[in-house]
Amino acid sequence: EALEIEQTESEELEPLNPLLTESAEHFMALVDAPYTLKDKMQLHPTEIRTLSLIASEGSITLTQLSQRTGNSKSAVSKPIRRLCEKALIDKTPTPGNARENQLTLKVKGKTALSEVKTLMTRRFESLQTLEASLSPKEYKIITAFLRAVNQL
């Protein structure tokens, strides 16, 4: 559905603040909503970010994960515990440091991460379709407006 931007002189303008608030809340709900995989397992955004970090490193300790995310070890350990319970990651003792574990993705974790990336793409396809429907003029106006909002 194309955007309808035309306005008649007598038409009253709708206040933007409530629309911006609603849009921000809707967008955050999209971003923060868990993803349900084919096997009905749900992954929450913090778990997905954790899986992604582990995947990008290949192997990482809780301390390193804490440093990379800027979160405390206790905050990082919660998604780690859930990912272990879901059998998506392995925890193995770090050689030379019995108090630290190496975290690696299991095959199931790699598969889940791949599936989530597909689901993320689908979730945001309608936004991309809407963006593609904009005329160059509409695109420039909206882009300028959003940049100005981001500067507030």
Side-chain angles (χ1 to χ4, degrees):
E1 166 183 332
L3 289 178
E4 295 179 23
I5 296 183
E6 296 300 319
Q7 175 194 345
T8 62
E9 297 250 349
S10 62
E11 187 180 355
E12 200 168 310
L13 294 174
E14 187 175 359
L16 288 180
N17 199 36
L19 280 173
L20 281 171
T21 301
E22 183 181 352
S23 294
E25 288 170 354
H26 182 71
F27 186 76
M28 289 311 298
L30 282 174
V31 170
D32 290 339
Y35 289 87
T36 304
L37 306 181
K38 291 175 191 166
D39 64 1
K40 307 295 182 216
M41 177 191 308
Q42 283 199 333
L43 286 177
H44 295 267
T46 54
E47 294 169 329
I48 296 165
R49 284 190 289 276
T50 303
L51 278 177
S52 295
L53 265 170
I54 295 170
S56 70
E57 296 292 327
S59 178
I60 193 168
T61 66
L62 187 66
T63 301
Q64 292 167 329
L65 196 56
S66 172
Q67 292 167 344
R68 301 258 189 328
T69 62
N71 294 317
S72 67
K73 282 186 183 181
S74 61
V76 174
S77 64
K78 195 173 189 178
I80 293 296
R81 187 182 75 253
R82 290 193 310 252
L83 292 170
C84 286
E85 290 168 359
K86 293 175 183 182
L88 299 177
I89 62 172
D90 268 327
K91 281 171 64 172
T92 55
T94 301
N97 185 351
R99 294 180 357 186
E100 192 79 77
N101 289 306
Q102 288 295 128
L103 308 168
T104 55
L105 287 188
K106 290 184 173 188
V107 171
K108 184 177 176 182
K110 292 176 184 177
T111 303
L113 195 54
S114 176
E115 191 177 334
V116 163
K117 288 178 182 178
T118 300
L119 292 171
M120 284 179 168
T121 300
R122 283 191 200 136
R123 184 175 284 181
F124 292 96
E125 275 178 350
S126 58
L127 189 59
Q128 292 168 334
T129 301
L130 178 61
E131 182 182 334
S133 75
L134 298 172
S135 71
K137 182 179 179 181
E138 291 166 336
Y139 188 89
K140 286 178 183 176
I141 290 168
I142 292 170
T143 302
F145 177 75
L146 291 173
R147 283 196 178 117
V149 167
N150 289 339
Q151 296 298 314
L152 296 177

